[in-house]
């Protein structure tokens, strides 16, 4: 018996030894503290409260008008109540806009310059799986022509060519998300976390990029609503954060509503117009644009254009209010950040101004390029915006 | 000739459970009157395959070269693959070795991952065992998982599929069936056989009758290469034995697998257009997000301290590195640099087992094992910052570990004669088991493009750190041979399962303290109509208690974000089978029709954003941001699965054998979405197809074996389109719009065996270069390619 015990012992020892070798010794991760010292840059600017005069503006005869649906050219449809009726379940884009607002509360709505750990928290929110960052990275600007078919990567679907990094680099205007927004936002996060330069400037870059993203997304989702009806919901969600008119707006809509309720209503009407079209031409019967009858195509073009025009004006209003804030006493500590916001978002409208053949385009560009605009410069810039994008 | 026949027969028998490698709990209840192979798989497999006994002369030799090993559970619907067969098919992994088995359909979420569906169920709803030790743990998730891939196919002697619920013997999870793996055994110092045998550590049975000598060493080197993915791998193995008493089989394997070239994108049944998800490289052939590295090591030390008792100490380590999850590397639409990888997929199993046989009548055969298993997973989703001048970006990291302690005891009584005739006998198999899981789970973000690198630890990981799970039970299964032709079995298990989790307040994860008890049973009837034909009728219950994945996990799955439900109740199943099995010298066949009922099936119910668990700023999960969200729920009502599994093998003259299989599965369950309010118009359906039910599929194999050791073969795998989709399938980008198209894939095989010195095998895969995908997979099948295996040893 003792002999057997002696023989069994090596077996047990072998098992224990082998178990020990199975151990993996990577350490548990621990939170890094980047410091909660106040960020450099003073108190961020509030956009100007100057009233926006749109008294001369009126909807086009071709526009969908939720206030008077009986007299617009659209047949009776789901949007006539003036409320946005979901096509499907509430979309995930609502959560992304909520995340945007959470980041806003950390970085530019907190009433003080953000600290490095605010940027860490904000970036963590930004990087949620399937969150804001994931969509920024893939966002295309449908105002620009698609990547030419001859250059497509044949291993990738036609609507995903911007995910090919070489193509994104070659066509940065179309591939605005991966080519422009992604590096801009990440660079700003890096600067904010590392404490490089003015924290408000880093925050302003992020804010401007987010407004740009929402502007592109609202427009893009209204287009991809043609094959996927639920993308109409995403268009509405990206703009409003999931609210109805009169509700608590988030993101871009929150700014536009604050500066120009009229423009806000017109953007909302544009979204309703696309939803109305989708209601009139079901996705089951018309899954592609080509499947639509001529009148269906015309109605879609009309609705999408209404939304596009309103969005231009909405973004212009946001830019002008920020530009006007340059002269506000309250803004004296963070004018650089404020002007950075104006420069980034202002540049977004250049394409539309080119398309319209705006005579003052060169002057507009010059003004945006200034490092320290004077009061006259700001007034000139606002003047151009009000002229070109006078009504939604 | 007779000697040669003996070798062939013995080599076949080696993978069946001989006294040395018997699977614990395997039955030993051969009818005393017939000594039929039915129910007496161990000794009978050897004797029945003997050419001398069969009287078929040379034809019998040819037959025996190609004969399949009988499954241990041959009293019900089961089949087995042995090492010899694997050496001709050259599977890429353990799951891949099952591709030609009826009723099994192998899904792949990644190139380094695969999950066998057994009768329409997989993952947490099938049971995996290695040498009788349960591999399932409390993190096995809903749908396919990668864990069977972590069993190194090069260590397997015998792989058996038991189709249908099997919870009486195997406990929780065995709803769809059980996958029972028997490892290679050391030789114990017996001389190696010549010219036949599988030559890879399983020779001891072939040499069973040989006189043990002193120290004997059998080294072996196996090398594998494949052109479709540039795989290059090798396994070095040494089998050291002494005097029939001590055996040590130790091996180490490594392989590097590159990007997989496929036949190209499959076509969407709905549009007829190529389906490019997951993504392809610009050659439209190479699937992005494929390739991995793998290291395996194993040691098996056996001490046969007398003819009736043996002690086994075993250690199996599997380490897979850098295996991308194909559908997330990159995800659809994301920049091509974005990738979710399993940086580590490790599994370590070590155990001590004591086997005895020819013991006292109440415990004529017994096995007790004590095991420790450690499963380690390390995932990383990498998103580049897009700034050319600054390297790095954001890493979303996860690390989950499960430590499992196991204790299992099984025994079989002697067969007692009933009555005076001695024709009827009765016996009992019985056992008990207990497995305890302790879970570690962490998740954190790292911003690698800032200086210094910043780490942000989230409040919880995919699971809740510190959760524990206990699964236990005791079972008994008596059987009666009522005369020489009728075998009746009936049994039951009493099970107790306990789960606890500390919860996580920051993420709104509840504390869990749940206990479930269950009693399941089975009954079976086997009638030997003739010596070669049996009829089977089986009722087997299954159950699956919710595990920690169901109760606590939050994760992005193929169909969308899935979150936990702490109130889940166990699933319970009943499978009814009936069928015939033929074991004739010229024909082996089985045909089983089955129907399974599952009550309270756990499925995915769509959820809205507001339903998401609290995922505020403190611990964002991505639930709300996902396109689709699901919560696991017990479906109200019965889920039904039914199908037919069939296989036929015909032994032809001149060493030819043809085998064909076919499987059909149909599944339907309650709609997880409640019906709309009365009066509203809707296309609502109260019942829907179950997720990822395999299409009608099958195979045809033609093999020619010559006594010189040369073989040639041809194999065809086929499946029809699967267009019956579950709700979750429709939002899963891995499934093309409208379903998965059908396919037919033709392989050619050739090889030469001169045991134990040389084994050369080759498979020319996908001769017609078909573009194909197993339903529900992320990975398309390999392109036209060559797979080579060379084994050298003595």
């Amino acid at each position: 018996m003792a002999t057997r015990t002696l023989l069994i012992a090596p077996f047990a020892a072998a098992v224990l030894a082998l178990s020990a070798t199975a151990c993996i010794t990577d350490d548990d991760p621990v939170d890094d503290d980047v410091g909660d010292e106040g960020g450099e840059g003073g108190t961020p600017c509030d956009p100007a409260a100057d009233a926006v005069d749109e008294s001369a503006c009126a909807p086009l005869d071709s526009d969908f008008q939720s206030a008077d649906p009986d007299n617009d050219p659209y047949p009776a449809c789901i949007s006539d109540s003036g409320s946005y009726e979901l096509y499907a379940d509430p979309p995930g884009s609502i959560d992304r806009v909520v995340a945007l607002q959470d980041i806003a509360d950390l970085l530019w709505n907190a009433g003080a310059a953000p600290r490095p750990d605010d940027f860490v928290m904000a970036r963590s929110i930004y990087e949620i799986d399937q969150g804001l960052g994931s969509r920024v990275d893939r966002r295309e600007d449908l105002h620009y022509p698609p990547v030419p078919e001859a250059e497509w990567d044949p291993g990738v679907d036609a609507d995903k060519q911007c995910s090919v990094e070489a193509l994104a680099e070659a066509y940065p205007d179309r591939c605005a998300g991966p080519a422009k927004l992604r590096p801009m936002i990440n660079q700003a996060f890096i600067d904010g976390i590392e404490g490089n330069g003015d924290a408000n400037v880093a925050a302003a870059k992020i804010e401007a990029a987010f407004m740009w993203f929402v502007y592109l997304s609202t427009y893009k989702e209204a287009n991809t609503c043609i094959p996927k009806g639920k993308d109409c919901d995403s268009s509405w969600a990206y703009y409003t954060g999931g609210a109805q008119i009169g509700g608590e707006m988030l993101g871009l809509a929150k700014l536009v509503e604050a500066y120009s309720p009229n423009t806000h209503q017109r953007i909302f009407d544009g979204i309703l117009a696309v939803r109305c079209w989708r209601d009139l031409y079901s996705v089951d019967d018309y899954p592609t644009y080509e499947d639509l009858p001529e009148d269906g195509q015309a109605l879609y073009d009309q609705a999408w254009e209404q939304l596009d025009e309103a969005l231009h004006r909405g973004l212009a209003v946001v830019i002008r209010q920020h530009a006007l804030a340059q002269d506000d006493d309250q803004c004296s500590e963070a004018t650089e950040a404020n002007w950075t916001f104006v420069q980034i978002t202002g540049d977004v409208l250049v394409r539309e101004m080119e398309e319209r053949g705006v005579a003052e385009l060169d002057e507009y560009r010059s003004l945006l390029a200034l490092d320290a605009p004077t009061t006259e410069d700001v007034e000139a810039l606002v003047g151009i915006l009000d002229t070109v994008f006078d009504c939604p | 000739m007779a000697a040669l026949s003996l070798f062939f027969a013995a080599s076949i028998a080696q993978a069946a459970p001989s006294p040395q490698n018997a699977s614990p709990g395997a039955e030993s209840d051969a009818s005393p009157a017939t000594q039929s192979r039915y129910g007496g798989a161990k000794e009978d497999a050897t004797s029945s395959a003997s050419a001398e006994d069969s009287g078929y002369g040379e034809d019998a030799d040819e037959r025996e070269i190609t004969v399949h090993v009988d499954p241990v559970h041959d009293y019900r619907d089961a089949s087995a693959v042995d090492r010899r067969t694997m050496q001709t098919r050259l599977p890429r992994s353990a799951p891949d070795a099952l591709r030609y088995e009826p009723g099994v359909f192998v899904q792949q979420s990644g190139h380094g991952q695969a999950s066998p569906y057994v009768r329409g169920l997989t993952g947490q709803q099938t049971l995996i065992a290695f040498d009788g030790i349960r591999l399932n743990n409390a993190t096995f998730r809903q749908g396919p998982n990668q864990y069977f891939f972590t069993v190194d196919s090069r260590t397997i002697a015998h792989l058996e599929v038991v189709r249908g619920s099997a919870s009486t013997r195997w406990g929780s999870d065995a709803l769809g069936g059980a996958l029972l793996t028997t490892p290679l055994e050391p030789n114990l110092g017996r001389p190696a056989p010549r010219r036949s045998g599988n030559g890879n550590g399983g020779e001891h049975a072939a040499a069973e009758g040989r006189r043990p000598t002193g120290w004997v060493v059998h080294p072996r080197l196996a090398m594998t290469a494949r052109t479709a993915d540039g795989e290059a791998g090798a396994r070095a193995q040494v089998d050291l034995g002494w005097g029939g008493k001590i055996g040590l089989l130790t091996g180490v394997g490594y392989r590097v697998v590159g990007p997989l070239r496929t036949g190209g994108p499959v076509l969407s049944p709905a549009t007829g257009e190529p389906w490019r998800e997951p993504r392809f490289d610009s050659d439209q052939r190479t699937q992005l997000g494929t390739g991995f590295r793998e290291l395996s090591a194993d040691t098996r030390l056996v001490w046969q301290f007398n003819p009736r008792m043996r002690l086994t100490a075993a250690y199996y380590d599997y380490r897979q590195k850098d295996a991308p999850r194909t559908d997330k590397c990159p995800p659809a639409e994301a920049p091509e640099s974005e990738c979710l990888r399993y940086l580590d997929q490790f599994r370590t199993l070590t155990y001590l087992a004591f086997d005895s046989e020819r013991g006292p009548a109440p415990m004529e055969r017994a096995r007790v094992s004590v095991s420790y298993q450690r499963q380690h997973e390390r995932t990383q989703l990498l998103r580049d910052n897009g700034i050319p001048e600054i390297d790095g970006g954001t890493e979303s990291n996860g690390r989950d570990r499960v430590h499992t302690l196991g204790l299992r005891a099984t025994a079989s009584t002697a067969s007692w004669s009933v009555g005076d005739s001695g024709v009827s006998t009765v016996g009992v198999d019985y056992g008990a088991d207990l497995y305890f899981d302790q879970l570690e789970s962490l998740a954190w973000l790292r911003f690698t493009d800032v200086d210094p690198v910043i780490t942000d630890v989230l409040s919880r990981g995919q699971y809740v750190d510190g959760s524990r799970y206990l699964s236990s039970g005791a079972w008994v299964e008596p059987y009666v041979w009522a005369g020489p032709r009728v075998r009746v079995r009936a049994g039951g298990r009493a099970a107790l399962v306990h789960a606890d989790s500390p919860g996580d307040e920051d993420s709104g994860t509840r504390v869990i303290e749940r206990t479930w008890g269950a009693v399941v049973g089975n009954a079976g009837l086997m009638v030997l109509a003739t010596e070669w034909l049996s009829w089977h009728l089986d009722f087997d219950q299954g159950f699956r208690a919710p595990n920690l994945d169901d109760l606590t996990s939050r994760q992005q799955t193929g169909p969308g974000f899935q979150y936990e439900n702490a109130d889940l109740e166990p699933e319970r199943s009943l499978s009814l089978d009936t069928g015939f099995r033929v074991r004739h010298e010229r024909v082996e066949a089985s045909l089983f029709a089955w129907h399974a009922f599952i009550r309270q099936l756990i499925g995915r119910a769509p959820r809205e954003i507001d339903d998401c668990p609290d995922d505020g700023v403190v611990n964002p999960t991505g639930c709300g941001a996902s396109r689709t969200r699901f919560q696991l729920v017990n479906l109200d009502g019965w889920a039904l699965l039914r199908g037919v599994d069939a296989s036929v093998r015909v032994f032809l003259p001149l060493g030819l054998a043809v085998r064909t299989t076919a499987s059909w599965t149909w599944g339907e369950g309650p709609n997880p979405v409640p019906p709309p309010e009365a009066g509203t118009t809707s296309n609502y359906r109260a019942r829907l197809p179950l997720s990822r039910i395999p299409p009608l599929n099958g195979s045809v194999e033609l093999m020619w074996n010559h006594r010189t050791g040369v073989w040639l073969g041809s194999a065809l795998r086929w499946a029809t389109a699967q267009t019956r989709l579950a709700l979750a399938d429709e939002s899963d980008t891995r499934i093309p719009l409208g379903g998965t198209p059908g396919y037919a894939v033709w392989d050619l095989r050739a090889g030469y065996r001169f045991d134990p010195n040389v084994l050369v095998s080759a498979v020319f895969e996908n001769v017609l270069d078909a573009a194909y995908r197993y339903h529900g997979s992320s990975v398309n099948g390999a392109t036209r390619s060559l797979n080579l295996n060379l084994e050298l040893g003595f």
Side-chain angles (χ1 to χ4, degrees):
Chain A
M1 193 65 202
T3 310
R4 284 198 176 159
T5 307
L6 282 173
L7 285 166
I8 290 169
F11 277 82
V15 171
L16 288 173
L18 292 169
S19 304
T21 60
C23 291
I24 298 161
T25 56
D26 52 337
D27 295 331
D28 287 352
V30 291
D31 273 322
D32 287 310
D33 185 5
V34 294
D36 56 1
E37 295 296 314
E40 296 289 325
T43 305
C45 299
D46 288 334
D50 306 41
V52 176
D53 181 10
E54 291 177 346
S55 55
C57 295
L60 299 176
D61 291 341
S62 58
D63 284 354
F64 176 88
Q65 297 176 52
S66 59
D68 191 9
D70 295 338
N71 291 315
D72 67 22
Y74 287 71
C77 68
I78 197 168
S79 298
D80 286 351
S81 67
S83 289
Y84 184 84
E85 297 289 339
L86 284 168
Y87 179 89
D89 292 337
S93 33
I94 291 175
D95 222 52
R96 293 183 201 107
V97 180
V98 169
L100 187 160
Q101 202 61 51
D102 290 339
I103 293 171
D105 293 343
L106 287 164
L107 299 186
W108 56 87
N109 283 347
R115 303 162 305 180
D117 60 354
D118 293 327
F119 281 97
V120 171
M121 285 181 67
R123 197 174 187 189
S124 296
I125 296 168
Y126 176 73
E127 295 287 3
I128 294 171
D129 195 11
Q130 302 297 313
L132 196 49
S134 72
R135 297 309 191 265
V136 166
D137 287 2
R138 64 184 66 167
R139 186 59 68 234
E140 295 186 32
D141 186 347
L142 268 51
H143 294 99
Y144 288 92
V147 174
E149 193 171 345
E151 296 183 40
W152 283 1
D153 183 329
V156 180
D157 284 332
D159 61 344
K160 301 180 181 72
Q161 293 296 321
C162 281
S163 65
V164 180
E165 287 172 3
L167 292 176
E169 200 176 321
Y171 296 93
D173 290 331
R174 173 73 183 200
C175 305
K180 295 179 179 176
L181 290 169
R182 177 164 69 140
M184 179 190 297
I185 292 168
N186 281 320
Q187 182 67 65
F189 274 125
I190 293 167
D191 291 341
I193 292 169
E194 291 184 346
N196 299 331
D198 187 330
N200 284 326
V201 171
K205 286 178 180 172
I206 294 167
E207 182 186 12
F210 283 177
M211 295 306 125
W212 183 0
F213 164 75
V214 170
Y215 158 80
L216 294 183
S217 299
T218 306
Y219 182 67
K220 176 262 169 191
E221 299 287 351
N223 181 261
T224 49
C225 176
I226 298 173
K228 287 186 280 187
K230 63 181 183 179
D231 280 8
C232 280
D233 298 344
S234 289
S235 177
W236 161 75
Y238 272 123
Y239 177 64
T240 62
Q244 300 289 355
I245 280 289
E248 188 183 351
M249 296 291 157
L250 303 176
L252 179 62
K254 184 173 184 175
L255 297 184
V256 177
E257 183 188 38
Y259 311 146
S260 171
N262 177 54
T263 298
H264 174 59
Q265 179 66 62
R266 302 296 299 131
I267 294 173
F268 201 87
D269 278 359
I271 292 166
L272 290 175
V274 177
R275 180 69 184 91
C276 177
W277 162 84
R278 185 74 285 173
D279 181 46
L280 297 171
Y281 297 90
S282 111
V283 74
D284 294 332
D285 298 332
Y286 309 104
T288 70
Y289 185 81
E290 288 70 29
D291 293 326
L292 287 162
E294 220 167 82
D295 57 340
Q297 290 183 350
L299 195 66
Y300 175 77
D301 293 344
Q302 200 173 301
W304 199 32
E305 181 62 16
Q306 177 184 344
L307 174 61
D308 193 29
E309 287 301 301
L311 281 168
H312 289 139
R313 172 62 183 169
L315 192 59
V317 167
V318 170
I319 298 165
R320 82 185 290 281
Q321 297 303 105
H322 276 77
L324 290 172
Q326 283 294 110
D327 279 348
D328 286 358
D329 291 342
Q330 179 269 339
C331 193
S332 60
E333 290 181 327
T335 51
E336 186 186 350
N338 187 60
W339 188 246
T340 299
F341 179 92
V342 172
Q343 288 176 308
I344 293 169
T345 49
D347 198 45
V348 175
L349 292 175
V350 166
R351 183 210 57 81
E352 179 65 15
M353 293 167 86
E354 282 175 340
E355 191 174 294
R356 295 183 186 191
V358 172
E360 299 90 345
L361 182 57
D362 286 343
E363 182 189 355
Y364 179 77
R365 281 184 166 135
S366 305
L367 290 166
L368 283 181
L370 294 171
D371 288 335
T374 62
T375 302
E376 291 73 29
D377 294 330
V378 167
E379 284 173 354
L381 183 84
V382 170
I384 294 170
L385 287 171
D386 285 347
T387 304
V388 177
F389 304 101
D390 53 344
C391 288
Chain B
M1 190 68 250
L4 191 61
S5 300
L6 180 62
F7 273 132
F8 288 150
S11 70
I12 294 156
Q14 60 77 30
S18 68
Q20 281 73 30
N21 66 359
S23 191
E27 301 215 343
S28 57
D29 54 333
S31 160
T34 63
Q35 281 297 313
S36 159
R37 69 194 61 166
Y38 297 102
K42 291 154 216 57
E43 296 83 6
D44 295 350
T46 307
S47 59
S48 66
S50 159
E52 290 175 330
D53 290 350
S54 72
Y56 275 83
E58 288 192 4
D59 276 2
D61 291 347
E62 288 151 3
R63 174 191 181 279
E64 286 146 11
I65 295 168
T66 56
V67 76
H68 245 195
V69 175
D70 284 341
V72 174
H73 298 78
D74 64 350
Y75 52 86
R76 57 178 297 185
D77 189 11
S79 62
V81 183
D82 67 344
R83 176 133 206 91
R84 194 182 181 93
T85 307
M86 285 192 263
Q87 285 168 334
T88 61
R89 291 176 180 166
L90 297 185
R92 289 179 159 80
S93 63
D96 203 25
L98 295 170
R99 284 207 194 274
Y100 290 89
E101 293 313 296
V104 181
F105 195 78
V106 182
Q107 182 271 4
Q108 281 196 271
S109 287
H111 193 193
Q113 304 170 339
S115 189
Y117 275 75
V118 183
R119 290 191 169 178
L121 300 173
T122 194
Q124 56 183 204
Q125 293 170 317
T126 55
L127 189 286
I128 306 171
F130 185 88
D131 204 6
I133 294 164
R134 176 190 178 91
L135 299 190
N136 290 44
N137 64 43
T139 64
F140 274 37
R141 61 179 170 271
Q142 170 88 200
N145 65 43
Q146 66 271 40
Y147 303 118
F148 194 40
F149 201 101
T150 65
V151 174
D152 185 354
S153 63
R154 296 166 297 188
T155 64
I156 298 174
H158 183 264
L159 180 52
E160 177 167 347
V161 186
V162 176
R163 288 179 279 274
S165 299
S167 286
T168 298
R169 281 178 179 253
W170 296 99
S172 185
D173 295 7
L175 300 183
L179 306 171
L180 310 177
T181 310
T182 305
L184 296 173
E185 288 282 351
N187 182 287
L188 300 179
R190 297 184 180 93
R194 292 285 164 190
R195 295 294 303 272
S196 67
N198 65 31
N200 203 346
E203 305 89 346
H204 71 92
E208 198 74 37
R210 291 166 177 261
R211 187 181 179 81
T213 57
W215 287 100
V216 175
V217 62
H218 297 297
R220 191 159 193 87
L221 178 66
M223 292 162 285
T224 308
R226 300 176 201 270
T227 60
D229 53 15
E231 176 184 327
R235 173 179 166 85
Q237 176 181 295
V238 175
D239 184 353
L240 181 67
W242 178 78
K245 294 282 188 185
I246 300 288
L248 174 71
L249 180 69
T250 185
V252 60
Y254 184 75
R255 63 172 166 164
V256 180
V257 184
L260 177 69
R261 275 176 59 80
T262 70
V266 297
L267 302 180
S268 156
T271 65
E273 295 293 316
W275 188 258
R276 296 190 177 86
E277 293 181 18
R279 206 177 297 185
F280 289 84
D281 208 343
S282 54
D283 62 3
Q284 296 193 74
R285 291 290 191 135
T286 306
Q287 189 122 43
L288 298 183
T290 52
F292 58 92
R293 292 176 291 131
E294 181 186 276
L295 172 70
S296 63
D298 50 274
T299 295
R300 189 173 186 83
L301 181 61
V302 174
W303 176 29
Q304 184 82 44
F305 49 90
N306 67 39
R308 295 185 298 111
M309 295 179 189
R310 64 159 44 186
L311 195 60
T312 302
Y315 168 79
Y316 293 87
D317 200 359
Y318 176 90
R319 297 186 178 218
Q320 186 187 67
K321 301 282 288 184
D322 299 328
R325 187 171 142 167
T326 306
D327 62 323
K328 303 276 185 195
C329 186
E333 303 176 69
E336 58 195 340
S337 58
E338 186 170 327
C339 185
L340 173 62
R341 286 179 184 280
Y342 285 81
L343 297 180
D344 301 336
Q345 180 69 62
F346 298 170
R347 190 177 58 77
T348 303
L349 172 66
T350 183
Y351 57 91
L352 199 60
F354 170 77
D355 292 271
S356 78
E357 59 182 25
R358 300 199 293 277
M363 200 183 289
E364 188 182 61
R365 293 178 59 246
R367 177 178 236 226
V368 178
S369 63
V370 183
S371 61
Y372 166 71
Q373 182 178 230
R374 183 176 190 278
Q375 177 183 292
H376 165 85
E377 273 178 42
R378 172 83 166 77
T379 57
Q380 185 179 82
L381 173 67
L382 193 60
R383 298 182 62 228
D384 184 75
N385 62 25
I387 306 168
E389 303 79 20
I390 303 176
D391 288 337
T394 303
E395 295 173 0
S396 300
N397 296 284
R399 194 188 73 194
D400 303 303
R401 289 178 185 157
V402 189
H403 305 269
T404 305
L405 289 171
L407 174 63
R408 184 168 190 262
T410 58
S412 299
T413 64
S415 293
W416 291 292
S417 294
V418 179
D420 297 334
S421 66
V423 173
S424 298
T425 58
V426 63
V428 181
D429 297 322
Y430 58 100
D433 46 53
L434 182 149
Y435 294 90
F436 175 73
D437 296 340
Q438 174 83 37
L439 191 55
E440 297 174 38
S441 186
L442 280 172
W444 68 100
L445 292 173
R446 278 182 88 230
F447 304 124
T448 60
D449 50 6
V450 296
D451 185 20
V453 169
I454 298 293
T455 299
D456 184 15
V457 181
L458 306 180
S459 75
R460 57 161 286 175
Q462 181 168 328
Y463 311 98
V464 178
D465 193 49
S467 299
R468 299 180 300 177
Y469 195 81
L470 181 137
S471 177
S472 62
W475 60 275
V476 58
E477 191 175 276
Y479 60 88
V480 176
W481 275 101
R485 295 190 179 277
V486 178
R487 180 184 189 277
V488 180
R489 69 182 169 100
R493 165 183 284 258
L496 184 71
V497 179
H498 176 80
D500 70 62
S501 169
D504 176 57
E505 199 172 331
D506 286 346
S507 61
T509 310
R510 283 169 48 185
V511 173
I512 291 170
E513 191 78 34
R514 304 278 310 270
T515 302
W516 301 275
V519 176
V520 291
N522 64 15
L525 172 68
M526 179 172 73
V527 178
L528 304 180
T530 69
E531 195 171 319
W532 49 269
L533 175 65
S534 60
W535 171 68
H536 302 252
L537 178 65
D538 295 296
F539 302 80
D540 288 274
Q541 286 185 311
F543 84 98
R544 191 182 76 79
N547 65 16
L548 292 174
D549 183 83
D550 303 313
L551 298 167
T552 70
S553 83
R554 295 178 184 176
Q555 57 194 304
Q556 287 290 345
T557 65
F561 186 87
Q562 177 190 298
Y563 63 92
E564 78 277 8
N565 183 346
D567 297 319
L568 289 169
E569 294 296 334
E571 299 171 310
R572 298 188 67 109
S573 69
L574 171 65
S575 64
L576 310 177
D577 300 29
T578 186
F580 295 92
R581 178 174 282 144
V582 173
R583 292 298 159 91
H584 188 267
E585 287 82 356
R586 295 288 174 178
V587 179
E588 289 180 354
S590 71
L591 173 65
F592 279 82
W594 56 273
H595 192 111
F597 306 82
I598 307 179
R599 189 159 53 86
Q600 294 193 315
L601 178 74
I602 294 176
R604 293 179 171 128
R607 289 288 184 259
E608 298 190 2
I609 295 174
D610 290 344
D611 300 323
C612 283
D614 181 14
D615 63 347
V617 175
V618 175
N619 182 40
T621 62
C623 173
S626 294
R627 279 203 175 113
T628 45
R629 291 154 293 278
F630 298 94
Q631 185 180 27
L632 295 175
V633 296
N634 286 111
L635 300 181
D636 190 14
W638 291 95
L640 303 177
L641 287 144
R642 65 178 74 112
V644 176
D645 308 321
S647 70
V648 180
R649 175 189 292 258
V650 180
F651 299 96
L652 303 168
L654 305 174
L656 286 166
V658 62
R659 179 179 186 250
T660 183
T661 65
S663 305
W664 171 74
T665 310
W666 178 93
E668 184 182 271
N671 191 334
V673 179
E677 290 174 14
T680 56
T681 55
S682 162
N683 57 358
Y684 180 83
R685 287 182 293 160
R687 297 182 67 77
L688 293 172
L690 295 178
S691 181
R692 284 175 283 204
I693 293 294
L696 175 65
N697 68 91
S699 65
V700 182
E701 291 173 283
L702 175 65
M703 293 294 292
W704 172 72
N705 286 269
H706 192 262
R707 65 177 63 88
T708 57
V710 173
W711 76 81
L712 295 172
S714 172
L716 183 78
R717 288 169 281 149
W718 59 268
T720 60
Q722 180 53 287
T723 55
R724 291 185 76 241
L725 302 180
L727 269 181
D729 296 344
E730 289 173 358
S731 61
D732 192 333
T733 59
R734 297 173 294 188
I735 297 175
L737 203 60
T740 306
Y743 60 81
V745 181
W746 179 34
D747 299 344
L748 293 174
R749 301 171 183 161
Y752 172 67
R753 180 190 302 273
F754 188 83
D755 281 341
N757 304 105
V758 177
L759 173 76
V760 183
S761 42
V763 175
F764 186 42
E765 187 176 2
N766 196 0
V767 176
L768 300 179
D769 203 17
Y772 71 102
R773 176 181 297 187
Y774 278 68
H775 182 55
S777 294
S778 296
V779 185
N780 287 8
T783 186
R784 181 188 296 127
S785 55
L786 189 61
N787 303 327
L788 290 170
N789 180 53
L790 171 64
E791 297 185 17
L792 302 171
F794 62 81

